[in-house]
Amino acid sequence: MTPSVSTDTATEDRLLDVQGLVTVFDTEDGVVQAVDGVSFHVEKGKTLGIVGESGCGKSVSAMSVMRLIPEPPGRIEGGKILWKGQDLLSLETDALPEIRGNQIAMIFQDPMTSLNPVFTIRKQLGEVLEKRFDLVGEAADQRMIEVLGMVGIADAEDRLGQYPHELSGGMKQRIMIAMALMCRPDLLIADEPTTALDVTVQAQILYLMKQLQEELGTAIILITHDMGVIAETCDDVAVMYAGKVVERCEVTELFDAARHPYTRGLLESIPRRGVSKDQALTTIEGVVPSLLDPPVGCRYADRCAHADETCRAQDPPLDEISSSHWSACHHPLEVVP
């Protein structure tokens, strides 16, 4: 494994800069290279979308940033995670709680299972306030009611006494967002925040996150497999495939001028209006390579119609195509007018 370190120029507005991140897991069958040389960054008040199919390393990248990879079986083997210029990988474990929650917060994938079913909402939100701010009793209740109001929960005082099973999926997700915002973090990592929610509630949650971002100035990393969500909410996008970032650019460029064959394949597989119902959807043939023994060259080569011997022999670096566009492809696709 050869980590590829980001070569783009840093700015003062950059909160998080991940460079050449390598995260692996020991299994009975061998070492899984879950994240292999991943680089991306997010700036103040901006939203970075990380998109890709299941198993490509999106969530592991986020968990690595939070230093929440279980050790064993996992471990971060290389790279840097620069938070406001400080490498989080150099910190001792007991220093991490000052970063987690206070400065970087995370909304985990499934709101149905992320809340403890045997504790009330007051107990679960109150634990954050007690540990972080030493707030208890009426003062804590007032803060919780204030934050629940921010995320659009009516009758907030009554909700504090309820248990998770008494709330809808959308309400649970709002509670999770409230918990993440309790400390007013500078960066919010949202891992599939609309999973298992119906379309109407999805739209409400995404609108809520955007609204809170505008009010609080919070930067967001949004992890998803939904290109529609990326289009609606993100400023910049990193496309992942088989543990690597294969394309990174501004969101408008992704949809107007994608250069990597995998990104183009994802976009072409989206159903479109005006297409006959008898016309089959475009698909990406083949399967994702095993991360136990990934291929030597480009990991997308066996599924790519443009691959040649160079692609199968050499792993392409994430090269700069323009000042705001990077692609890991030996033969970047031309932009169709």
Side-chain angles (χ1 to χ4, degrees):
M1 294 178 293
T2 304
S4 57
V5 178
S6 173
T7 57
D8 49 309
T9 305
T11 69
E12 292 182 0
D13 289 334
R14 189 167 298 180
L15 284 175
L16 179 71
D17 192 359
V18 176
Q19 301 179 0
L21 179 66
V22 177
T23 303
V24 302
F25 291 87
D26 294 316
T27 72
E28 293 181 355
D29 297 320
V31 179
V32 174
Q33 300 173 21
V35 172
D36 191 2
V38 163
S39 298
F40 59 83
H41 65 266
V42 62
E43 299 182 354
K44 295 177 182 177
K46 298 291 186 179
T47 299
L48 169 70
I50 301 181
V51 66
E53 57 196 292
S54 297
C56 69
K58 305 185 301 295
S59 296
V60 174
S61 296
M63 297 289 278
S64 297
V65 168
M66 296 290 287
R67 293 277 305 272
L68 290 175
I69 297 296
E71 300 180 15
R75 62 184 183 277
I76 299 174
E77 278 203 336
K80 294 182 179 181
I81 302 173
L82 301 178
W83 173 249
K84 300 178 181 179
Q86 181 181 35
D87 189 358
L88 297 184
L89 297 181
S90 67
L91 296 180
E92 297 295 332
T93 304
D94 57 5
L96 294 174
E98 289 301 314
I99 304 293
R100 294 192 199 119
N102 286 342
Q103 299 181 43
I104 307 175
M106 187 168 180
I107 305 170
F108 295 94
Q109 273 196 25
D110 188 359
M112 308 300 178
T113 59
S114 296
L115 293 169
N116 193 317
V118 301
F119 293 124
T120 64
I121 302 306
R122 174 183 279 107
K123 172 69 175 176
Q124 297 184 62
L125 292 179
E127 185 177 13
V128 177
L129 294 176
E130 183 176 359
K131 288 187 174 181
R132 300 291 182 184
F133 304 108
D134 202 26
L135 271 182
V136 295
E138 187 175 343
D141 277 7
Q142 289 303 314
R143 175 62 177 150
M144 286 184 272
I145 291 169
E146 175 191 345
V147 176
L148 291 180
M150 287 173 59
V151 298
I153 294 180
D155 304 318
E157 189 170 1
D158 294 335
R159 300 297 183 189
L160 291 178
Q162 293 185 311
Y163 289 86
H165 72 270
E166 299 179 272
L167 306 175
S168 67
M171 194 73 74
K172 290 176 187 176
Q173 191 60 288
R174 289 172 186 266
I175 296 291
M176 293 302 300
I177 294 173
M179 189 177 295
L181 293 176
M182 199 71 74
C183 300
R184 294 183 177 268
D186 296 316
L187 174 64
L188 177 64
I189 301 175
D191 189 0
E192 299 277 8
T194 57
T195 296
L197 303 178
D198 63 56
V199 176
T200 303
V201 178
Q202 283 185 29
Q204 292 173 352
I205 294 298
L206 292 172
Y207 175 76
L208 168 64
M209 290 176 60
K210 199 68 179 175
Q211 191 176 40
L212 290 171
Q213 181 181 46
E214 292 172 358
E215 292 176 5
L216 303 176
T218 306
I220 296 175
I221 294 178
L222 179 63
I223 297 171
T224 182
H225 60 270
D226 190 328
M227 283 294 192
V229 170
I230 291 290
E232 290 178 20
T233 60
C234 297
D235 299 296
D236 303 289
V237 188
V239 181
M240 291 191 67
Y241 179 78
K244 289 180 173 287
V245 172
V246 297
E247 189 154 18
R248 206 176 78 212
C249 58
E250 295 179 352
V251 68
T252 51
E253 263 192 281
L254 183 85
F255 289 92
D256 295 339
R259 304 294 298 277
H260 196 282
Y262 175 64
T263 308
R264 194 75 66 85
L266 288 178
L267 294 172
E268 290 175 351
S269 67
I270 299 173
R272 287 173 170 78
R273 290 181 180 179
V275 177
S276 170
K277 65 180 180 180
D278 298 322
Q279 183 175 336
L281 289 173
T282 302
T283 60
I284 299 175
E285 300 297 328
V287 296
V288 180
S290 169
L291 296 182
L292 280 166
D293 186 24
V296 175
C298 175
R299 295 183 180 182
Y300 188 61
D302 287 344
R303 306 176 73 185
C304 182
H306 307 276
D308 58 16
E309 290 309 309
T310 301
C311 302
R312 293 182 175 85
Q314 300 176 21
D315 186 16
L318 190 65
D319 283 336
E320 185 175 354
I321 294 176
S322 70
S323 59
S324 59
H325 199 152
W326 294 261
S327 179
C329 183
H330 290 299
H331 311 293
L333 300 178
E334 294 297 323
V335 178
V336 180

